[in-house]
Amino acid sequence: GRVERSHLTDDEEFYLPMILCWNDTDQFLKSAQAWQYVYNLKRPHFGKGMGGLSPLAKLQSLGYNHLDDNFILFPVILLDELNPLIPGNNLLTMDKIVVLF
């Protein structure tokens, strides 16, 4: 449920307001990286135990004071190109299975 709620937040606060602003993949990736910064470092969260803190602020409140912004800013990647054995964006459909021995 938490992952699905996170995806809903991404849809409502990132994808829907921004989708018409992107002209190419580079613009999307830069925007997605900026959204990750806002989501993990600036945006208040009100899920169980969060108390309105951002994820980084919550970790710091638990004693992880040595963490900096870079700890929680993962590089944004396109999953479509993650598996070179399956072309296009059909990673989950698995139209064909390739077995390497």
Side-chain angles (χ1 to χ4, degrees):
R2 291 183 179 146
V3 171
E4 290 170 0
R5 180 64 188 102
S6 171
H7 288 181
L8 179 62
T9 299
D10 290 342
D11 289 346
E12 292 175 344
E13 297 181 28
F14 173 63
Y15 291 111
L16 291 175
M18 297 296 298
I19 197 164
L20 296 177
C21 299
W22 304 314
N23 295 315
D24 57 37
T25 302
D26 288 337
Q27 285 182 347
F28 167 73
L29 290 173
K30 288 176 185 174
S31 184
Q33 197 70 53
W35 167 244
Q36 188 179 143
Y37 174 82
V38 170
Y39 188 85
N40 287 329
L41 278 83
K42 301 297 181 188
R43 184 185 177 281
H45 290 248
F46 297 97
K48 184 176 180 178
M50 292 301 290
L53 298 173
S54 70
L56 182 61
K58 180 62 179 182
L59 286 170
Q60 291 170 336
S61 78
L62 294 172
Y64 298 95
N65 297 318
H66 62 283
L67 301 176
D68 66 12
D69 295 1
N70 293 320
F71 173 77
I72 207 157
L73 295 176
F74 309 102
V76 175
I77 62 169
L78 292 177
L79 295 178
D80 295 358
E81 299 171 13
L82 188 63
N83 186 340
L85 299 176
I86 304 172
N89 61 358
N90 59 352
L91 292 178
L92 298 179
T93 61
M94 298 299 285
D95 291 334
K96 58 184 172 182
I97 298 174
V98 177
V99 179
L100 301 175
F101 291 97

